[in-house]
Amino acid sequence: MEAHHSAARRRLKRDLTEHQTDPKVQHLDSQQPRSNFSAVILQQVSLLNSALSPSVSDRVAVKSAVLFLIKLAKSTVFCLWPLSSLSLCFTLLLNFSVSASLTLAEDLMYAIVSCGGAVPALVRYLESPEAVKDDSDGLTEPYHYEVEKGCAFILGLLAIKPEYQQLIIDAGALPCLVDLLRRHKINTMSRPLIGLLRRVADTINNLAYENTIIRTLVRMEGGIPPLVKLLEFNVTKVQRAAAIALGTLAFNNDDNKNQIVECNALPPLVLMLRSEDPTIHYAAVYVIENLVDSSPDIIKEVLQAGALQPVICLLSSCCSKSQKEAAVLLGQFAATDSDCEVHISQRGAIPPLVDNLKSADAELQEMSAFALGNLAQPTKERVAITLKRLEEKMQGRALKHLIYLMRFAEIGVQRRVAIALAYLCSPRDRKNIFIDNNGLELLMDILESPNVKQKGNASAALHKLAAKASSSVSLFDAAPPSPTPQMYLGEEYVNNAKLSDVTFLIEGRSFYAHRDCLLSSDVFRALLDGSYREREAKQVVIPNIKWDVFELMMRFIYTGTVDVNLDIAKHLLIAADQYLLDDLKHICECVIARDISVENVSIIYEMSEDLNATTLKHACILFMLDKFDKLRSKPWYCRMVRCIVPDIRMFFSTLLIKSHPADSGGS
């Protein structure tokens, strides 16, 4: 290592000595200490600021100063750039001589950016003329971009240091860089211009690296469209530089991602994935990985663009970086798009992923395991799609064979088939399977099994069967219509003495009512028109009921509707049952059903039994089937299930018959 440091110092001394030959550069002793580097750099910056004409001689002087600054900047780059940088593999291609010590590198870098306005001077020379004038004969020559390329190169190297990125942006570099990118529209592409485009793309990449603000500024300045156009270049280094810059801009920036896709970057990126050049297909897979990260909509567009097969092929690439990115991409594809999982497997991704698990590269192992894990993991969406496909196949000969097994195979097979059909059968086949061919009885037998796992399987299957049936018929039907025609006087007559012909006394308070309106209740009709003594009474005492409960009940009788809250629903349910108001009773049952919990389901079920509340009873049954895992530890649960099996059987028999399409018209 010390030998490398010495070599770096010798090269710097040689460069300083050679630089003395320029007539515009003052003499500087090559043996001066590092503290005088700022003086050397100041001379070069002064030269940049003084040589402002487009003449050839000034351009040569400027080029000499720029080349000197490039050598200084090169000597710092590897000492300052973290080895983990995503762009490191591309910087290696620059073939820099890396040997300066960290301290020397820091000194040089600081001197360049802080001495005499070097950054503004470099930015100024990014604005290139179309031609230069020869001092001797006055002829103009095409401009070759050497100075601009050198300035972009130096700024790109300085931008590796995050603390210098904003300084470069504040000097106005970004608009100049984007303008240079647009030079790709020039019809005649010279070699210097191609080199310039590459250096500009590299500089934008370094500026935006790990800088969210600058990534956004590049988009706002219009830098994304020309970078996308450069993907179509037939020059490898330009393609690669543009792709890496786009990948950096896409990182954690949804607006940048969307604009990159909108600029039609996906077709050239897919072509780059197929390249035999490792640097090209790695650059492409790097961009796509950043585009699709946390962006399911872009994943769909990437797949539609035909990226899947090339990505799978990269699993066997000679470039380990491409292999890693490809594995991550496939894992993301599988996690986001369930249909894609099948295509990934069918197109041969599994063998190379398994082979990469044996790699000596720990990162490649980890990323391959990630992809395989997502391919194997049964997410809810994948399970739903698989079940849907099985449902579509559950007909004809396949269904007949399963029904045969359910009836005549050994009992274990019969039960497993019954459970499977509860999930897979179509609406038109439910009655045939579970009523006509005894499938429901098999599920009831499993529900009474002492085996906890089997009992849980039966509970889940029955609940699924009820949920599927609910799509064609309501689980909780409205109350049957009263045989007595109902007459509603309206809200204004509730507890109104006007035209009242009967008064009820509740908790010592009078409630004014009208006999004709009370006929909707069989109990009130018998009480007021029957042989009871209340028939002729002007005041009727109503015991065992609270005023607010009675008032709500009467409001329902007068209007046909009422708002019931949970606090009063139980008491109102008892009153509705007592006075045979089935519609009101149904309303109360639905309110109470929404409050069923693990703690109160047994109490509510007993109440539904006492009050003959069928809707509430069915809600309790479904809750107990659905929450088996939470209820099975309760000491009363298994005993209660055995007791209510007849009610469960009756509920499902009725539901399956009513939900059968052929019988729905007559139900």
Side-chain angles (χ1 to χ4, degrees), residues 17 64 118 152 231 242 253 289 297 307 311 385 398 470 556 567 615 621 656:
T17 302
S64 175
L231 295 178
N253 192 310
E289 199 277 326
D297 291 338
V311 171
I385 291 175
S470 68
F556 176 80
D567 294 334
T615 296
I621 288 173
L656 291 170

Side-chain angles (χ1 to χ4, degrees), residues 242-534:
I244 292 298
L246 288 170
T248 299
L249 294 173
F251 183 71
N252 283 349
N253 192 310
D254 290 340
D255 291 333
N256 284 7
K257 291 179 185 181
N258 292 331
Q259 188 173 92
I260 291 170
V261 174
E262 289 166 3
C263 289
N264 207 31
L266 294 181
L269 286 173
V270 171
L271 288 176
M272 291 171 66
L273 288 175
R274 301 178 184 275
S275 171
E276 295 182 0
D277 186 334
T279 62
I280 291 295
H281 60 61
Y282 171 73
V285 77
Y286 166 66
V287 182
I288 293 174
E289 199 277 326
N290 280 350
L291 284 173
V292 305
D293 184 40
S294 303
S295 303
D297 291 338
I298 293 181
I299 285 181
K300 293 178 181 178
E301 294 193 51
V302 168
L303 292 172
Q304 290 171 0
L308 181 57
Q309 192 60 50
V311 171
I312 292 174
C313 291
L314 290 182
L315 293 173
S316 304
S317 167
C318 60
C319 175
S320 63
K321 292 183 176 64
S322 294
Q323 289 178 301
K324 295 171 189 176
E325 296 290 347
V328 172
L329 263 180
L330 292 176
Q332 291 176 316
F333 291 165
T336 306
D337 192 323
S338 299
D339 287 337
C340 186
E341 175 196 356
V342 177
H343 296 304
I344 292 172
S345 302
Q346 290 176 341
R347 296 188 184 189
I350 304 297
L353 283 171
V354 173
D355 289 342
N356 289 342
L357 290 177
K358 307 170 187 176
S359 169
D361 188 326
E363 285 188 357
L364 181 56
Q365 289 181 6
E366 180 182 352
M367 294 175 183
S368 298
F370 164 75
L372 289 169
N374 278 1
L375 286 168
Q377 187 173 356
T379 63
K380 289 183 178 179
E381 183 182 0
R382 280 186 220 157
V383 170
I385 291 175
T386 302
L387 288 175
K388 184 65 177 176
R389 289 172 177 167
L390 287 173
E391 286 181 24
E392 294 169 355
K393 297 179 181 295
M394 202 53 56
Q395 55 185 330
R397 295 177 61 184
L399 178 60
K400 289 180 181 179
H401 181 66
L402 286 174
I403 291 176
Y404 177 84
L405 291 176
M406 189 179 70
R407 294 194 62 181
F408 301 111
E410 67 95 16
I411 188 63
V413 174
Q414 290 182 28
R415 291 178 172 180
R416 286 194 291 273
V417 172
I419 289 173
L421 289 175
Y423 288 90
L424 302 177
C425 66
S426 67
R428 66 177 178 274
D429 295 320
R430 279 195 294 263
K431 178 176 177 290
N432 178 37
I433 295 168
F434 294 100
I435 301 298
D436 301 340
N437 283 285
N438 217 36
L440 181 59
E441 289 305 315
L442 284 169
L443 294 178
M444 291 295 104
D445 290 343
I446 305 171
L447 192 63
E448 294 184 86
S449 168
N451 186 296
V452 174
K453 183 177 179 180
Q454 290 185 7
K455 192 186 294 288
N457 290 339
S459 296
L462 286 166
H463 188 269
K464 181 66 176 180
L465 193 59
K468 289 164 68 74
S470 68
S471 61
S472 56
V473 64
S474 174
L475 288 176
F476 308 122
D477 293 333
S482 171
T484 305
Q486 298 181 0
M487 179 182 67
Y488 301 118
L489 291 183
E491 180 75 24
E492 65 272 18
Y493 286 96
V494 177
N495 197 18
N496 191 336
K498 183 180 180 180
L499 301 178
S500 173
D501 52 8
V502 62
T503 303
F504 296 105
L505 292 177
I506 305 97
E507 295 183 331
R509 299 170 62 181
S510 297
F511 190 99
Y512 300 100
H514 308 78
R515 292 175 183 266
D516 289 343
C517 189
L518 300 176
L519 296 179
S520 60
S521 167
D522 293 339
V523 173
F524 277 122
R525 186 172 64 252
L527 184 67
L528 300 176
D529 289 345
S531 57
Y532 297 97
R533 67 173 182 269
E534 287 84 0

Side-chain angles (χ1 to χ4, degrees), residues 46-324:
S46 298
L47 180 59
L48 292 176
N49 288 325
S50 62
L52 300 178
S53 74
S55 65
V56 173
S57 60
D58 274 359
R59 299 295 296 181
V60 171
V62 168
K63 181 178 178 181
S64 175
V66 169
L67 289 175
F68 182 78
L69 292 175
I70 287 176
K71 290 182 179 182
L72 290 180
K74 278 184 178 183
S75 69
T76 71
V77 64
F78 286 130
C79 294
L80 299 177
W81 204 338
L83 292 177
S84 60
S85 170
L86 288 174
S87 300
L88 182 57
C89 61
F90 298 105
T91 309
L92 287 172
L93 297 170
L94 301 175
N95 297 318
F96 292 157
S97 298
V98 183
S99 50
S101 69
L102 181 59
T103 303
L104 177 60
E106 291 281 359
D107 288 347
L108 290 173
M109 185 72 80
Y110 179 78
I112 292 174
V113 299
S114 64
C115 188
V119 170
L122 291 168
V123 170
R124 187 181 307 116
Y125 280 94
L126 291 178
E127 302 177 9
S128 60
E130 294 182 359
V132 296
K133 185 176 181 180
D134 192 313
D135 294 337
S136 59
D137 55 16
L139 298 177
T140 58
E141 297 181 357
Y143 188 63
H144 293 301
Y145 302 107
E146 296 96 337
V147 172
E148 286 64 32
K149 181 173 69 174
C151 291
F153 185 42
I154 296 170
L155 292 171
L157 295 179
L158 297 178
I160 294 169
K161 291 279 283 183
E163 57 265 38
Y164 299 148
Q165 292 170 347
Q166 193 59 47
L167 175 67
I168 296 170
I169 293 296
D170 292 341
L174 191 54
C176 299
L177 292 169
V178 173
D179 182 64
L180 289 172
L181 280 179
R182 297 192 178 105
R183 300 294 173 91
H184 73 272
K185 296 180 181 178
I186 297 175
N187 292 330
T188 303
M189 294 298 297
S190 64
R191 183 169 181 176
L193 179 56
I194 291 173
L196 173 65
L197 292 173
R198 172 198 173 191
R199 295 306 185 196
V200 170
D202 285 338
T203 301
I204 290 177
N205 173 67
N206 292 349
L207 283 169
Y209 184 69
E210 293 186 348
N211 193 314
T212 56
I213 295 175
I214 294 179
R215 287 201 289 270
T216 299
L217 289 176
V218 172
R219 182 188 76 251
M220 296 174 66
E221 196 64 45
I224 289 178
L227 282 172
V228 172
K229 287 294 184 182
L230 293 182
L231 295 178
E232 301 174 3
F233 249 53
N234 58 359
V235 179
T236 299
K237 292 181 179 180
V238 175
Q239 260 190 324
R240 182 181 64 236
I244 292 298
L246 288 170
T248 299
L249 294 173
F251 183 71
N252 283 349
N253 192 310
D254 290 340
D255 291 333
N256 284 7
K257 291 179 185 181
N258 292 331
Q259 188 173 92
I260 291 170
V261 174
E262 289 166 3
C263 289
N264 207 31
L266 294 181
L269 286 173
V270 171
L271 288 176
M272 291 171 66
L273 288 175
R274 301 178 184 275
S275 171
E276 295 182 0
D277 186 334
T279 62
I280 291 295
H281 60 61
Y282 171 73
V285 77
Y286 166 66
V287 182
I288 293 174
E289 199 277 326
N290 280 350
L291 284 173
V292 305
D293 184 40
S294 303
S295 303
D297 291 338
I298 293 181
I299 285 181
K300 293 178 181 178
E301 294 193 51
V302 168
L303 292 172
Q304 290 171 0
L308 181 57
Q309 192 60 50
V311 171
I312 292 174
C313 291
L314 290 182
L315 293 173
S316 304
S317 167
C318 60
C319 175
S320 63
K321 292 183 176 64
S322 294
Q323 289 178 301
K324 295 171 189 176

Side-chain angles (χ1 to χ4, degrees), residues 547-564:
W547 168 267
D548 54 350
V549 174
F550 186 82
E551 193 270 339
L552 275 179
M553 181 176 69
M554 297 302 288
R555 188 175 299 280
F556 176 80
I557 292 173
Y558 274 75
T559 65
T561 183
V562 68
D563 290 329
V564 180

